[in-house]
Structure formats: structure tokens, C-alpha cells
Coordinates of all heavy atoms in Angstrom, one line a residue:
M177 N 41.3 -27.8 33.0 CA 40.9 -26.7 32.2 C 41.1 -27.1 30.7 O 42.0 -27.8 30.3 CB 41.7 -25.5 32.5 CG 41.2 -24.2 31.9 SD 42.3 -22.8 32.4 CE 41.3 -22.0 33.5
N178 N 40.2 -26.6 29.9 CA 40.2 -26.9 28.4 C 41.5 -26.2 27.8 O 41.9 -25.1 28.2 CB 38.9 -26.3 27.8 CG 38.8 -26.8 26.4 OD1 39.6 -27.4 25.8 ND2 37.6 -26.5 25.9
I179 N 42.1 -26.9 26.9 CA 43.3 -26.4 26.2 C 42.9 -25.1 25.4 O 43.7 -24.1 25.5 CB 43.8 -27.4 25.2 CG1 44.3 -28.6 25.9 CG2 44.9 -26.8 24.3 CD1 45.6 -28.4 26.7
L180 N 41.8 -25.0 24.8 CA 41.4 -23.8 24.1 C 41.3 -22.6 25.0 O 41.7 -21.5 24.7 CB 40.1 -24.0 23.3 CG 39.7 -22.9 22.4 CD1 40.7 -22.6 21.3 CD2 38.3 -23.3 21.7
V181 N 40.7 -22.8 26.1 CA 40.5 -21.7 27.1 C 41.9 -21.3 27.6 O 42.2 -20.1 27.8 CB 39.6 -22.2 28.3 CG1 39.6 -21.1 29.4 CG2 38.2 -22.4 27.7
T182 N 42.8 -22.2 27.9 CA 44.1 -21.9 28.4 C 44.9 -21.1 27.4 O 45.5 -20.1 27.8 CB 44.9 -23.2 28.6 OG1 44.1 -24.1 29.5 CG2 46.2 -23.0 29.2
Y183 N 44.8 -21.4 26.1 CA 45.5 -20.6 25.1 C 44.9 -19.1 25.0 O 45.7 -18.2 24.9 CB 45.5 -21.3 23.8 CG 46.4 -22.4 23.7 CD1 46.0 -23.6 23.1 CD2 47.7 -22.4 24.3 CE1 46.9 -24.7 23.0 CE2 48.5 -23.5 24.2 CZ 48.1 -24.6 23.6 OH 49.0 -25.7 23.5
R184 N 43.6 -19.0 25.2 CA 43.0 -17.7 25.1 C 43.4 -16.9 26.3 O 43.7 -15.7 26.2 CB 41.5 -17.8 25.0 CG 41.0 -18.3 23.7 CD 39.5 -18.2 23.6 NE 39.0 -18.7 22.4 CZ 37.8 -19.0 22.1 NH1 36.9 -18.8 23.0 NH2 37.4 -19.4 20.9
V185 N 43.4 -17.5 27.5 CA 43.8 -16.8 28.7 C 45.3 -16.3 28.6 O 45.6 -15.2 29.0 CB 43.5 -17.6 30.0 CG1 44.2 -17.0 31.2 CG2 42.0 -17.8 30.2
M186 N 46.1 -17.2 28.2 CA 47.5 -16.8 28.1 C 47.8 -15.7 27.1 O 48.5 -14.8 27.4 CB 48.4 -18.1 27.7 CG 48.5 -19.1 28.8 SD 49.3 -20.6 28.3 CE 50.8 -20.1 27.6
A187 N 47.0 -15.7 26.0 CA 47.2 -14.6 25.0 C 46.6 -13.3 25.6 O 47.2 -12.3 25.4 CB 46.4 -15.0 23.7
F188 N 45.6 -13.4 26.3 CA 45.0 -12.2 27.0 C 45.9 -11.6 28.0 O 46.1 -10.4 28.0 CB 43.6 -12.6 27.6 CG 42.9 -11.4 28.2 CD1 42.4 -10.4 27.4 CD2 42.7 -11.3 29.6 CE1 41.7 -9.3 27.9 CE2 42.1 -10.3 30.1 CZ 41.6 -9.2 29.3
M189 N 46.6 -12.5 28.8 CA 47.5 -12.0 29.8 C 48.7 -11.4 29.1 O 49.3 -10.4 29.6 CB 47.9 -13.1 30.7 CG 46.8 -13.5 31.6 SD 47.2 -14.9 32.7 CE 48.7 -14.5 33.4
A190 N 49.2 -11.9 28.0 CA 50.3 -11.3 27.3 C 50.0 -9.9 26.7 O 50.9 -9.0 26.8 CB 50.7 -12.2 26.1
V191 N 48.8 -9.7 26.2 CA 48.4 -8.4 25.7 C 48.3 -7.4 26.9 O 48.8 -6.3 26.7 CB 47.0 -8.5 25.0 CG1 46.5 -7.1 24.7 CG2 47.2 -9.3 23.7
I192 N 47.8 -7.8 28.0 CA 47.7 -6.9 29.2 C 49.1 -6.6 29.6 O 49.4 -5.4 30.0 CB 46.9 -7.6 30.3 CG1 45.5 -7.7 30.0 CG2 47.1 -6.8 31.6 CD1 44.6 -8.5 31.0
E193 N 50.0 -7.5 29.7 CA 51.4 -7.2 30.1 C 52.1 -6.2 29.2 O 52.8 -5.3 29.6 CB 52.2 -8.5 30.2 CG 53.6 -8.3 30.7 CD 54.5 -9.5 30.7 OE1 53.9 -10.6 30.3 OE2 55.7 -9.4 31.0
Q194 N 51.9 -6.4 27.9 CA 52.6 -5.5 26.9 C 52.0 -4.1 27.0 O 52.7 -3.1 26.9 CB 52.4 -6.0 25.5 CG 53.2 -7.3 25.2 CD 52.9 -7.9 23.8 OE1 52.0 -7.4 23.1 NE2 53.6 -8.9 23.4
A195 N 50.7 -4.0 27.3 CA 50.1 -2.7 27.4 C 50.5 -2.0 28.7 O 50.6 -0.7 28.7 CB 48.6 -2.8 27.2
G196 N 50.6 -2.7 29.8 CA 50.9 -2.1 31.1 C 52.3 -1.8 31.4 O 52.6 -1.1 32.3
L197 N 53.2 -2.4 30.7 CA 54.7 -2.3 31.0 C 55.1 -0.8 30.9 O 55.8 -0.4 31.9 CB 55.5 -3.2 30.1 CG 56.9 -3.5 30.5 CD1 56.9 -4.1 31.9 CD2 57.6 -4.4 29.5
P198 N 54.8 0.0 29.9 CA 55.3 1.4 29.9 C 54.7 2.2 31.0 O 55.4 3.0 31.6 CB 54.8 1.9 28.5 CG 54.6 0.7 27.7 CD 54.2 -0.4 28.6
A199 N 53.5 1.9 31.4 CA 52.9 2.7 32.5 C 53.6 2.3 33.8 O 53.8 3.2 34.7 CB 51.4 2.4 32.6
L200 N 53.9 1.1 34.0 CA 54.6 0.7 35.2 C 56.0 1.3 35.3 O 56.5 1.7 36.4 CB 54.7 -0.8 35.3 CG 53.4 -1.5 35.7 CD1 53.6 -3.1 35.5 CD2 52.9 -1.2 37.1
R201 N 56.7 1.3 34.1 CA 58.0 1.9 34.1 C 58.0 3.4 34.5 O 58.8 3.9 35.2 CB 58.7 1.8 32.7 CG 59.1 0.4 32.5 CD 59.9 0.3 31.2 NE 60.4 -1.1 31.1 CZ 60.6 -1.7 29.9 NH1 60.4 -1.0 28.8 NH2 61.1 -2.9 29.9
V202 N 57.0 4.1 34.0 CA 56.8 5.5 34.3 C 56.5 5.7 35.8 O 57.1 6.6 36.4 CB 55.7 6.2 33.4 CG1 55.4 7.6 33.9 CG2 56.2 6.2 31.9
A203 N 55.6 4.9 36.3 CA 55.3 5.0 37.7 C 56.5 4.8 38.6 O 56.7 5.5 39.6 CB 54.1 4.1 38.0
F204 N 57.2 3.7 38.3 CA 58.4 3.4 39.2 C 59.5 4.4 39.0 O 60.3 4.7 39.9 CB 58.8 2.0 39.0 CG 58.0 1.0 39.8 CD1 57.1 0.2 39.2 CD2 58.2 0.9 41.1 CE1 56.3 -0.7 39.9 CE2 57.4 0.0 41.9 CZ 56.5 -0.8 41.2
T205 N 59.6 5.0 37.8 CA 60.6 6.0 37.6 C 60.3 7.3 38.5 O 61.2 7.9 39.1 CB 60.7 6.4 36.1 OG1 61.1 5.3 35.4 CG2 61.7 7.5 35.9
I206 N 59.0 7.6 38.5 CA 58.6 8.7 39.3 C 58.8 8.4 40.8 O 59.3 9.3 41.6 CB 57.1 9.1 39.1 CG1 57.0 9.7 37.7 CG2 56.5 10.0 40.1 CD1 55.5 9.8 37.2
A207 N 58.5 7.2 41.2 CA 58.7 6.8 42.6 C 60.2 6.8 43.0 O 60.6 7.3 44.1 CB 58.2 5.4 42.9
V208 N 61.1 6.4 42.1 CA 62.5 6.4 42.4 C 63.0 7.8 42.5 O 63.8 8.2 43.4 CB 63.3 5.6 41.3 CG1 64.8 5.9 41.4 CG2 63.1 4.1 41.5
T209 N 62.5 8.7 41.6 CA 62.9 10.1 41.7 C 62.5 10.8 43.0 O 63.2 11.5 43.6 CB 62.3 10.9 40.5 OG1 62.6 10.2 39.3 CG2 62.7 12.3 40.4
I210 N 61.2 10.5 43.4 CA 60.8 11.0 44.7 C 61.6 10.5 45.8 O 61.9 11.3 46.7 CB 59.3 10.7 44.9 CG1 58.4 11.5 43.9 CG2 58.8 11.0 46.3 CD1 57.0 11.1 43.8
F211 N 61.9 9.2 45.9 CA 62.7 8.7 46.9 C 64.1 9.3 46.9 O 64.7 9.6 48.0 CB 62.8 7.2 46.8 CG 61.7 6.5 47.7 CD1 60.5 6.4 47.2 CD2 62.1 5.9 48.9 CE1 59.5 5.8 48.0 CE2 61.1 5.3 49.7 CZ 59.8 5.3 49.2
L212 N 64.7 9.5 45.8 CA 66.1 10.1 45.7 C 66.0 11.5 46.2 O 66.9 12.0 46.9 CB 66.6 10.0 44.3 CG 67.0 8.6 43.9 CD1 67.5 8.6 42.4 CD2 68.1 8.0 44.8
F213 N 65.0 12.3 45.8 CA 64.8 13.6 46.3 C 64.6 13.6 47.8 O 65.1 14.5 48.5 CB 63.6 14.3 45.6 CG 63.4 15.7 46.1 CD1 64.3 16.7 45.7 CD2 62.3 16.0 46.9 CE1 64.1 18.0 46.2 CE2 62.1 17.3 47.4 CZ 63.0 18.3 47.0
G214 N 63.9 12.7 48.3 CA 63.7 12.6 49.8 C 65.0 12.3 50.5 O 65.3 12.9 51.6
G215 N 65.8 11.5 49.9 CA 67.2 11.2 50.5 C 68.0 12.5 50.5 O 68.8 12.7 51.4
Y216 N 67.9 13.2 49.4 CA 68.6 14.5 49.3 C 68.2 15.5 50.4 O 69.0 16.1 51.1 CB 68.4 15.1 47.9 CG 69.0 16.5 47.8 CD1 70.4 16.7 47.7 CD2 68.2 17.6 47.8 CE1 70.9 17.9 47.6 CE2 68.7 18.9 47.7 CZ 70.1 19.1 47.5 OH 70.6 20.3 47.4
V217 N 66.9 15.6 50.7 CA 66.4 16.4 51.7 C 66.8 16.0 53.1 O 67.2 16.8 53.9 CB 64.8 16.5 51.6 CG1 64.2 17.2 52.9 CG2 64.4 17.2 50.4
I218 N 66.8 14.7 53.3 CA 67.3 14.1 54.6 C 68.7 14.5 54.8 O 69.2 14.8 55.9 CB 67.0 12.6 54.7 CG1 65.5 12.3 54.8 CG2 67.8 12.0 55.9 CD1 65.2 10.9 54.7
F219 N 69.5 14.3 53.7 CA 71.0 14.6 53.8 C 71.2 16.1 54.1 O 72.0 16.4 54.9 CB 71.7 14.2 52.6 CG 73.1 14.5 52.6 CD1 74.0 13.7 53.3 CD2 73.7 15.6 51.9 CE1 75.4 14.0 53.4 CE2 75.0 15.8 51.9 CZ 75.9 15.0 52.7
R220 N 70.4 17.0 53.4 CA 70.7 18.4 53.6 C 70.2 18.9 55.0 O 70.8 19.8 55.5 CB 69.9 19.2 52.6 CG 70.4 19.0 51.2 CD 71.7 19.6 50.9 NE 71.6 21.0 51.0 CZ 72.6 21.8 51.0 NH1 73.8 21.4 50.8 NH2 72.5 23.1 51.0
K221 N 69.2 18.3 55.6 CA 68.7 18.7 56.9 C 69.0 17.7 58.0 O 68.3 17.7 59.0 CB 67.2 18.9 56.8 CG 66.7 20.0 55.9 CD 65.3 20.2 55.9 CE 64.9 21.4 55.1 NZ 63.6 21.9 55.4
R222 N 70.1 16.9 57.8 CA 70.4 15.9 58.8 C 70.7 16.5 60.2 O 70.4 15.9 61.2 CB 71.5 15.0 58.3 CG 72.8 15.7 58.2 CD 73.9 14.7 57.5 NE 75.2 15.4 57.5 CZ 75.5 16.2 56.5 NH1 74.7 16.5 55.5 NH2 76.8 16.7 56.5
H223 N 71.3 17.7 60.2 CA 71.7 18.3 61.5 C 70.4 18.8 62.2 O 70.3 18.7 63.4 CB 72.6 19.5 61.2 CG 74.0 19.1 60.7 ND1 74.8 18.3 61.4 CD2 74.6 19.3 59.5 CE1 75.9 18.0 60.7 NE2 75.8 18.7 59.5
Q224 N 69.5 19.3 61.4 CA 68.2 19.7 62.0 C 67.4 18.5 62.6 O 66.8 18.5 63.6 CB 67.4 20.4 61.0 CG 66.0 20.9 61.5 CD 65.2 21.5 60.4 OE1 65.7 21.7 59.3 NE2 64.0 21.9 60.7
F225 N 67.5 17.4 61.9 CA 66.7 16.2 62.2 C 67.4 15.4 63.3 O 66.8 14.8 64.2 CB 66.5 15.3 61.0 CG 65.6 15.9 60.0 CD1 65.8 15.6 58.7 CD2 64.5 16.7 60.3 CE1 65.0 16.1 57.7 CE2 63.7 17.2 59.4 CZ 63.9 16.9 58.0
F226 N 68.8 15.3 63.3 CA 69.5 14.3 64.1 C 70.5 14.8 65.1 O 71.2 14.1 65.7 CB 70.1 13.2 63.2 CG 69.2 12.5 62.3 CD1 69.2 12.8 60.9 CD2 68.3 11.6 62.8 CE1 68.3 12.2 60.1 CE2 67.4 11.0 61.9 CZ 67.4 11.3 60.6
D227 N 70.6 16.1 65.2 CA 71.5 16.7 66.2 C 70.9 16.7 67.6 O 69.8 16.3 67.8 CB 71.9 18.1 65.8 CG 73.1 18.1 64.9 OD1 73.7 17.0 64.6 OD2 73.5 19.2 64.4
R228 N 71.7 17.1 68.5 CA 71.3 17.1 69.9 C 70.0 17.9 70.2 O 69.9 19.0 69.7 CB 72.4 17.6 70.8 CG 72.2 17.4 72.3 CD 73.4 17.8 73.1 NE 73.4 17.5 74.5 CZ 72.4 17.8 75.3 NH1 71.4 18.5 74.9 NH2 72.5 17.4 76.6
D229 N 69.1 17.3 71.0 CA 67.9 18.0 71.3 C 68.0 18.3 72.8 O 68.0 17.4 73.7 CB 66.7 17.1 71.0 CG 65.4 17.7 71.2 OD1 65.4 19.0 71.6 OD2 64.3 17.1 71.1
P230 N 68.0 19.6 73.2 CA 68.1 19.9 74.6 C 66.9 19.5 75.5 O 67.0 19.4 76.7 CB 68.3 21.4 74.6 CG 67.8 21.9 73.3 CD 67.9 20.7 72.4
N231 N 65.8 19.2 74.9 CA 64.6 18.8 75.6 C 64.5 17.4 75.9 O 63.6 16.9 76.6 CB 63.3 19.2 74.8 CG 63.2 20.7 74.6 OD1 63.7 21.5 75.4 ND2 62.7 21.1 73.4
V232 N 65.4 16.5 75.4 CA 65.4 15.1 75.6 C 66.5 14.8 76.6 O 67.7 15.1 76.4 CB 65.7 14.4 74.3 CG1 65.7 12.9 74.5 CG2 64.6 14.7 73.3
A233 N 66.1 14.0 77.6 CA 67.1 13.6 78.6 C 67.9 12.4 78.1 O 67.4 11.6 77.3 CB 66.4 13.1 79.9
N234 N 69.2 12.3 78.4 CA 70.1 11.3 78.0 C 70.2 11.2 76.5 O 70.2 10.1 75.9 CB 69.7 9.9 78.6 CG 69.8 9.9 80.1 OD1 70.6 10.6 80.7 ND2 68.9 9.2 80.7
D235 N 70.2 12.3 75.8 CA 70.4 12.3 74.3 C 71.9 12.3 74.0 O 72.5 13.3 73.8 CB 69.7 13.6 73.8 CG 69.7 13.5 72.3 OD1 69.7 12.4 71.7 OD2 69.5 14.6 71.6
V236 N 72.4 11.1 74.0 CA 73.9 10.9 73.7 C 74.1 10.7 72.3 O 73.2 10.5 71.5 CB 74.4 9.8 74.6 CG1 74.3 10.1 76.1 CG2 73.7 8.5 74.3
A237 N 75.4 10.8 71.9 CA 75.8 10.7 70.5 C 75.4 9.3 69.9 O 75.0 9.3 68.7 CB 77.3 10.9 70.3
V238 N 75.5 8.3 70.7 CA 75.2 6.9 70.2 C 73.7 6.9 69.8 O 73.3 6.3 68.8 CB 75.5 5.9 71.2 CG1 75.1 4.5 70.8 CG2 77.0 5.9 71.5
T239 N 72.8 7.4 70.6 CA 71.4 7.4 70.3 C 71.1 8.2 69.0 O 70.3 7.7 68.2 CB 70.6 8.0 71.5 OG1 71.0 7.4 72.7 CG2 69.2 7.9 71.3
R240 N 71.7 9.3 68.9 CA 71.5 10.1 67.7 C 72.0 9.4 66.4 O 71.3 9.4 65.4 CB 72.2 11.5 67.8 CG 71.6 12.4 68.9 CD 72.1 13.8 68.8 NE 73.6 13.8 69.0 CZ 74.2 14.0 70.2 NH1 73.5 14.0 71.3 NH2 75.5 14.1 70.3
H241 N 73.1 8.7 66.6 CA 73.7 8.0 65.5 C 72.7 6.8 65.1 O 72.5 6.5 63.9 CB 75.1 7.5 65.8 CG 75.7 6.8 64.7 ND1 76.2 7.4 63.6 CD2 76.0 5.5 64.5 CE1 76.8 6.5 62.7 NE2 76.6 5.3 63.3
N242 N 72.2 6.1 66.1 CA 71.3 5.0 65.8 C 70.0 5.5 65.1 O 69.5 4.8 64.3 CB 70.9 4.3 67.1 CG 72.1 3.5 67.7 OD1 73.0 3.2 67.0 ND2 72.0 3.1 68.9
R243 N 69.5 6.6 65.5 CA 68.3 7.2 64.8 C 68.6 7.5 63.4 O 67.8 7.1 62.5 CB 67.9 8.5 65.5 CG 67.1 8.3 66.8 CD 66.5 9.6 67.2 NE 67.4 10.7 67.3 CZ 67.7 11.4 68.4 NH1 67.0 11.1 69.5 NH2 68.6 12.3 68.4
L244 N 69.8 8.1 63.1 CA 70.2 8.3 61.7 C 70.3 7.0 60.9 O 69.9 6.9 59.8 CB 71.5 9.1 61.7 CG 72.1 9.5 60.3 CD1 71.1 10.4 59.6 CD2 73.4 10.1 60.5
E245 N 71.0 6.0 61.5 CA 71.2 4.8 60.8 C 69.8 4.1 60.5 O 69.6 3.5 59.4 CB 72.0 3.8 61.7 CG 73.5 4.0 61.6 CD 74.3 3.0 62.4 OE1 73.7 2.2 63.1 OE2 75.5 3.0 62.2
G246 N 68.9 4.2 61.4 CA 67.6 3.5 61.2 C 66.9 4.1 60.0 O 66.3 3.4 59.2
I247 N 66.9 5.5 59.9 CA 66.2 6.1 58.8 C 66.9 5.8 57.5 O 66.3 5.6 56.5 CB 66.2 7.7 59.1 CG1 65.3 8.0 60.3 CG2 65.7 8.4 57.9 CD1 63.9 7.6 60.2
L248 N 68.3 5.9 57.5 CA 69.0 5.7 56.3 C 69.0 4.3 55.8 O 68.9 4.0 54.6 CB 70.5 6.1 56.5 CG 70.7 7.6 56.6 CD1 72.1 8.0 56.8 CD2 70.1 8.3 55.4
F249 N 68.9 3.3 56.7 CA 68.8 1.9 56.3 C 67.4 1.7 55.6 O 67.4 1.0 54.6 CB 68.9 0.9 57.5 CG 70.4 0.8 57.9 CD1 70.6 0.3 59.2 CD2 71.4 1.0 57.1 CE1 71.9 0.2 59.6 CE2 72.7 0.9 57.5 CZ 73.0 0.4 58.8
V250 N 66.4 2.2 56.2 CA 65.0 2.0 55.6 C 65.0 2.7 54.3 O 64.5 2.2 53.3 CB 63.9 2.5 56.6 CG1 62.6 2.5 55.9 CG2 63.9 1.6 57.8
W251 N 65.5 4.0 54.2 CA 65.4 4.7 53.0 C 66.2 4.0 51.9 O 65.8 3.9 50.7 CB 65.9 6.1 53.2 CG 66.0 6.9 51.9 CD1 65.1 7.5 51.2 CD2 67.2 7.1 51.1 NE1 65.6 8.1 50.1 CE2 66.9 7.8 50.0 CE3 68.5 6.6 51.3 CZ2 67.8 8.2 49.0 CZ3 69.5 7.0 50.3 CH2 69.1 7.7 49.2
G252 N 67.4 3.6 52.2 CA 68.3 2.9 51.3 C 67.7 1.7 50.8 O 67.8 1.4 49.6
R253 N 67.1 0.8 51.6 CA 66.5 -0.4 51.2 C 65.3 -0.2 50.3 O 65.2 -0.8 49.3 CB 66.1 -1.2 52.4 CG 65.4 -2.5 52.1 CD 66.2 -3.3 51.1 NE 66.9 -4.4 51.8 CZ 67.7 -5.2 51.2 NH1 67.9 -5.1 49.9 NH2 68.3 -6.1 51.9
L254 N 64.5 0.8 50.6 CA 63.3 1.1 49.8 C 63.8 1.6 48.4 O 63.2 1.2 47.4 CB 62.4 2.1 50.5 CG 61.6 1.6 51.6 CD1 60.8 2.7 52.3 CD2 60.6 0.5 51.1
T255 N 64.8 2.4 48.4 CA 65.3 2.9 47.1 C 65.9 1.8 46.3 O 65.6 1.7 45.1 CB 66.3 4.0 47.3 OG1 65.8 5.0 48.2 CG2 66.8 4.6 46.0
L256 N 66.6 0.9 46.9 CA 67.2 -0.2 46.1 C 66.1 -1.2 45.6 O 66.2 -1.7 44.5 CB 68.2 -1.0 47.0 CG 69.5 -0.3 47.3 CD1 70.3 -1.1 48.2 CD2 70.2 0.0 46.0
V257 N 65.1 -1.4 46.4 CA 63.9 -2.2 45.9 C 63.2 -1.6 44.7 O 62.9 -2.2 43.7 CB 62.9 -2.5 47.1 CG1 61.6 -3.0 46.6 CG2 63.5 -3.4 48.1
L258 N 63.0 -0.3 44.8 CA 62.4 0.4 43.7 C 63.2 0.4 42.4 O 62.7 0.2 41.3 CB 62.0 1.9 44.0 CG 60.8 2.0 45.0 CD1 60.7 3.5 45.3 CD2 59.6 1.6 44.3
I259 N 64.5 0.6 42.6 CA 65.4 0.5 41.4 C 65.5 -0.9 40.8 O 65.5 -1.1 39.6 CB 66.8 1.0 41.8 CG1 66.8 2.5 42.1 CG2 67.8 0.7 40.7 CD1 68.1 3.1 42.6
N260 N 65.4 -1.9 41.7 CA 65.4 -3.3 41.3 C 64.2 -3.6 40.5 O 64.2 -4.3 39.5 CB 65.6 -4.2 42.4 CG 65.9 -5.6 42.0 OD1 66.3 -5.9 40.9 ND2 65.6 -6.6 42.9
I261 N 63.0 -3.1 41.0 CA 61.8 -3.3 40.3 C 61.8 -2.6 38.9 O 61.3 -3.1 37.9 CB 60.6 -2.9 41.1 CG1 60.4 -3.8 42.3 CG2 59.3 -2.8 40.3 CD1 59.4 -3.3 43.3
L262 N 62.3 -1.4 38.9 CA 62.4 -0.7 37.7 C 63.2 -1.4 36.6 O 62.9 -1.5 35.5 CB 62.9 0.7 37.9 CG 63.0 1.7 36.8 CD1 61.6 2.0 36.3 CD2 63.7 3.0 37.2

């Protein structure tokens, strides 16, 4: 690749990055806020979501606990990834 073209492309990419950075910060701040609100809703309604269900056979405490852990691990990891990107 020609040196002149390389310098023009690099300058163009730098301008795009500077212009897009504030928009990305706003977008990820909104995403983190939504995920934190979702975690709050899950925490507030955890008994409704994860307590004993009389319609399910063999619904023991360990199974309910595993369901809760699965949801919280995924939610926690996604929130940490979004915060890290932000």
C-alpha cells in the first residue's frame, strides 16, 4: 500500500473515532443502566420467579437455587462486560 494512502486512511480513522466516542459512551451508559434496573427487578421479584412451583414435579430447593444462580451469573457477567466496555 502506498505511504500517502496509508496516512490518509489513518487520519480518516482517527477522525471517525473521535466523533463516535461520545455516542458510544452514551449508548453503553444507557445499556448499563437498563441492565442494573433489570437486576433490581430480578432481585425484587426473586420469590415470584424462583420459589417453589406446585405444578412442577421434583421441584427441590437445589433445583430452584441452580436456576437462580444461572440467571444471576449471566446477568452479572453481562453487566461487568458492559461496565468494562464503558
Side-chain angles (χ1 to χ4, degrees):
M177 191 182 254
N178 190 353
I179 294 287
L180 184 60
V181 172
T182 303
Y183 287 138
R184 286 185 183 172
V185 169
M186 289 173 53
F188 184 66
M189 288 175 55
V191 169
I192 290 174
E193 181 184 358
Q194 289 174 356
L197 197 58
L200 287 173
R201 284 188 179 150
V202 169
F204 278 103
T205 301
I206 291 170
V208 167
T209 305
I210 290 170
F211 266 78
L212 291 176
F213 180 72
Y216 173 74
V217 169
I218 289 173
F219 179 75
R220 294 291 293 176
K221 295 188 175 194
R222 69 186 182 276
H223 295 296
Q224 180 183 354
F225 294 146
F226 302 109
D227 272 357
R228 190 174 190 301
D229 188 4
N231 298 327
V232 177
N234 296 328
D235 189 23
V236 294
V238 174
T239 306
R240 294 190 299 271
H241 185 72
N242 288 343
R243 283 191 304 239
L244 178 64
E245 279 184 350
I247 297 295
L248 289 179
F249 284 157
V250 171
W251 173 81
R253 176 53 100 183
L254 286 174
T255 304
L256 289 175
V257 166
L258 284 175
I259 290 172
N260 191 19
I261 290 172
L262 183 64

